[in-house]
Amino acid sequence: MRHAWTNWLGNHQAHCAAIVAPTSTEQLVEILDDPRRRGLPVRVLGGGHSWSPLVPTDGVLLSTAGLTRIRGVDRDRARITVETGATIGQLVEVATRNGLSVRSPSMYLGLTVGGLVATGSHGTGREVATFGDEVVGFELVAADGTVHQVDAPGSELWRAVITNLGVLGVVTAVTLQCEPLYNVHESHARVDVADVAALLPAVLAEYEFVSLFWHPMSRQATFKLGNRSALPAETVVGRIEPTLRDRANGWLGRLLPHVATRVPGLAAIVGDAIDAGLGSGGRVVSEPYFSHYQQSYPKVISSEFAIPIDAAPPAWSWLSQRLGQYAAAGVRPVDLVVHARFGRASAALIASSSGRASCHLEVLSFAGNRQRELFAGEFQATMQDRFAGRPHWGKDIFDPWQATRGYGEDLERFLAVRHELDPDQRLLNPFLRDEVFGLGRRLRPVIVATEQPANDDGGRGAANDAGATLRRVA
Amino acid sequence: MSQRPSPFAPYVVPDLRGLAQLGVPDGAWFARLAGSQLRGHAVAWLRRVGERVPGADGPLRRLVAALEHRLVPEDEVAAGPAGDAEFAWRRIAGVDPFAVVRPATLDEIPAPLRLSDAVLLPLVGRTSAPGAGAGTDELAARVAAGDIYLVDRRELAWRTPADLQPGRFVAATAVLLCHAPELDSRHSLVPLAIAAPRGSAGAPPEVFTPHVGAAWRAAKRMVEVADVHAAELTVHLARAHMMTVPFAVALRRSLPPQHPLVRILGPHLRFDPFLATMAFHQGVAGRTGALVRSLAGAPRWSQDVARTLHDRLSFRDQQLERDLVRRRMADAPIDYPWRDDGRLLHAAIAHLVAELVDDAYASDAALARDPHLRAFVDDVIDRGGIRGLLAGTRLQTRDELVEIATQVLFVAGPLHALAHYGTARRLRHGAAEPAWLPGNPLAPGTAGPDARTTAAQVQRVLGTDIRGDRLGDFTGTALAEHPASAPALAAFARELIAIEAEIQRRNHARPCPAPDLLPSRIPNGITV
């Protein structure tokens, strides 16, 4: 008998031997014994919100839905220890109650902590990289049931874990570095899309938090900007529980994909509505209110690349011009929004923003947009070839064979750590093993001790404190 | 040689009159069949209900899953689209082990699959050397080293859309594999490329490599479905049922009931004529046959595929070792369950048959003088249409009879079990392992079969998933009641126990278990 699983969007399915949801680390260790004896592969399942097929396996799906406890809050050091099945909503609620702000969280609250760490997901902000970069300690259960407790950042293992794709083991809990709860003065600016590239450097210099939205049928783009403010917030502290407007957006989100691709012009209206949903700015709001402006996901498909932040203006120019050319031909492969966020370099080995401050450039289309694939390949090729882009692991990846381009030696280091923890390759699925890492076509790894090369980790301090690192030598 | 009465002969048994001569199974068999039919309907109903239950892991879904689990024990072999290692393993250890060959020269590889160095080198973990391009030096070198394997399904090529049932699709595919143990692969064979048509009838095949992402996944899916068709039409029908029916018929028609060959072959062929007749009328004849409904081909095309292969087969050439040598697989340095586990079973059966034949005939001369045996052989060849049965013109020696009888038992037992139960085990997964596709998956937007279709597929395969007996269990047969046979039967039983343990041990080390040749899963003969 097989157990059927489908992700949130319905674009990935699995027929697996079992779906299990342990409620404690001890139970997880016990559960791992069975697939190990039977030689079954294991994949970790968070919220199932990835667009890429990270989760599907024909072995055992190990859900973190039962691992949702907050293990501890250290107000003095502004740290929260949370199990990885908890949602960002649960985490933010606890953080807010304790006067803390979560760093680099996703805007959508329904994602899980483990999912964000696994995929190198991120928020926006000059001083933050990925959500995983804020992990200062973690508990990892390896494929053989060994429990690794790490309580300091910087080691090679830590750099692998903070964007781990679920291929190192099961990260059951993380300790996150937060900061005291703060307020943000939020501003919005509508500018001509042709002027965005020229304005970007100045905007990034002026504002700590920058997001950019553009509906490809509109001539104007919207900057959502923010700087920290000492003034009191004009809003409620958090926006964690969905408001009526959020619920309405959720209902619309379910409805619109069915009609948006059938009714000409409706997608443009939706885009404007989204812009309107961002609010008008010009007020001081609490950080959670500023960060979590989206409470539900419509049925969309997203593809995102992190490019060096200096490449953002030319990349934006190319993207806007190219989509304009498509539009002139009556083709609308991106019918929802183009979205850009900005952050500093990640210390992770294989986060899309590893080693460099990045612009995260994202295109979103309604699910069912058949014109999307016309552009998806070109988008990936251009982002990678012209702008040294790297794909977001959780978003749709058109050509996974090319996904690991641009990581150089760090990819080999990640695979070496992976090989140490899971030599039998039981934590991989065909997508990751064959299409992303191409492990079936690499020469067998030889592990030797070596010095860690210098790495621009964005000031995070990724010095290797775990002794000799692992290096793959073909 | 007599004229065949049907385009699908010798599946039809034209000369038998009356059910008694057909070898109608006993009541227990019919009870098991009824039970499996009920189970198939129940599981299909649960599948349909499960599709409508919301929530991936809600209480209702869990209840449905638990009920299904009671009806269908969990399989040790995974289902669904596999990774490249599992894909390569399935080509070797799947339900059709006969398609794989080791080409000796580049000419034996279909032209589209003669990969250039520029394409091949990155697929085996090497960067293209400067100047590497359109040449095929690397492939030629690997062919010469015996590292290249080809799985060619050209027998499934169809010429017009009328060859397929409306809304159903299968295509001839060819897969090139490479033995490359130096790679970081879970299986020493890695797939290099698939040749498959992108369009419909008559479209030339295109080559897809693992570098092409979604198209590679779609091409692999086409291969898996082609596998099911090849297993059903060429292995299950042509190599098993159609090959054994003439022996079963001749056994009844040309030998007296007390003849020693009836004692030896009888337990393995006792239901064969009845099942073949039933299978023809309820399986492959007309549009309503279960087999026709299970596959993509139109009835005539499916019958032609099976018949064409059967007409081409030589009985002697299909003997296990000769077939392995012909395909250059006898000494291939890979784990190949059909060869490795098959040899164990074949040797055990040969030991048993040799003992029984020696008991039946004191000398070769005694055998040569047996008029009934001569009539039996003539019947199999002339009326049954079996080609290449004998090395010469007459059956003269006990060794040759041992070889023939061993092969009949091996085909009726292990080979049929692999095809029938192996395919059923795979297809019962339903949506993850469809037997046919609604369209070419290489065409954008082609979905898989719907839930109702796959539920019906599960119903059909579970409905015939029964075993009439077990290899080595001769209870109630004339062989068991023949005192002189007792030592040979006891030795056979001991050998089977040892083989069971050895295959289990091998399965633990394999990328995926290959359970279909476990003696405990093989009936004595074709019992369904």
Side-chain angles (χ1 to χ4, degrees), chain A residues 109 238-254 277 289 292-297:
Chain A
L109 290 165
R239 198 172 132 186
I240 300 162
E241 292 300 325
T243 62
L244 184 60
R245 192 182 75 175
D246 295 327
R247 290 186 194 283
N249 280 345
W251 298 326
L252 275 175
R254 290 191 186 90
Y289 192 95
H292 307 294
Y293 50 89
Q294 185 176 2
Q295 297 286 316
S296 65
Y297 256 19

Side-chain angles (χ1 to χ4, degrees), chain A residues 1-6 15 17-19 37-40 58 398-401 419 424-425 430-431 433-435 439-445 472, chain B residues 56 61 65 68-69 72-75 77-79 81-85 122-125 181-186 190-191 210-211 217 429 431-432:
Chain A
M1 185 188 68
R2 315 300 292 183
H3 298 262
W5 170 85
T6 303
H15 295 82
I19 302 175
R37 278 189 292 104
R38 296 162 65 194
L40 291 173
D58 49 23
F398 182 82
D399 185 357
W401 188 260
H419 183 81
D424 297 330
Q425 302 184 352
F431 169 73
R433 180 177 185 277
D434 297 326
E435 298 186 35
L439 290 184
R441 300 175 192 285
R442 286 167 166 259
L443 298 179
R444 286 187 185 281
R472 189 170 176 280
Chain B
R61 181 69 70 91
E68 191 181 328
H69 186 61
V72 187
E74 193 168 322
D75 193 2
V77 180
D84 286 353
L123 294 174
V124 290
E182 73 275 16
L183 296 181
D184 185 7
S185 172
R186 290 177 59 217
V190 293
H211 290 180
R217 286 195 291 271
H429 294 303

Side-chain angles (χ1 to χ4, degrees), chain B residues 23 247-248 251-252 257 259-273 275 352-353 356 405 408-409 412-413 468-482 485 489 492 522-528:
Chain B
F247 289 91
L251 211 62
R252 287 165 171 78
H259 194 276
L261 200 57
V262 174
R263 201 165 56 232
I264 297 170
L265 297 184
H268 307 273
L269 301 174
R270 53 187 174 150
F271 302 153
D272 221 26
L275 292 172
L352 171 68
V353 172
L356 299 178
V408 171
L409 266 57
D469 55 17
R470 177 172 162 168
L471 188 61
D473 178 7
F474 297 100
T475 307
T477 66
L479 193 61
E481 292 161 8
H482 183 64
S485 304
L489 299 187
F492 185 53
I522 300 172
N524 268 322
I526 296 177
T527 59
V528 67

Side-chain angles (χ1 to χ4, degrees), chain A residues 3-57:
Chain A
H3 298 262
W5 170 85
T6 303
N7 73 334
W8 146 82
L9 185 61
N11 62 330
H12 297 301
Q13 294 86 31
H15 295 82
C16 40
I19 302 175
V20 290
T23 55
S24 68
T25 304
E26 294 74 26
Q27 200 179 29
L28 168 64
V29 171
E30 274 179 37
I31 285 173
L32 280 174
D33 191 47
D34 179 54
R36 184 166 56 244
R37 278 189 292 104
R38 296 162 65 194
L40 291 173
V42 175
R43 286 297 296 159
V44 186
L45 168 64
H49 283 94
S50 286
W51 281 273
S52 61
L54 294 173
V55 169
T57 178

Side-chain angles (χ1 to χ4, degrees), chain A residues 76-123:
Chain A
D76 294 339
R77 293 201 290 171
R79 290 181 173 182
I80 299 175
T81 301
V82 58
E83 292 184 338
T84 48
T87 63
I88 298 303
Q90 289 172 277
L91 173 66
V92 169
E93 186 177 4
V94 170
T96 307
R97 223 171 34 227
N98 286 277
L100 299 174
S101 270
V102 176
R103 291 167 63 85
S104 198
S106 58
M107 55 189 175
Y108 177 47
L109 290 165
L111 308 180
T112 63
V113 169
L116 258 64
V117 174
T119 55
S121 294
H122 56 88

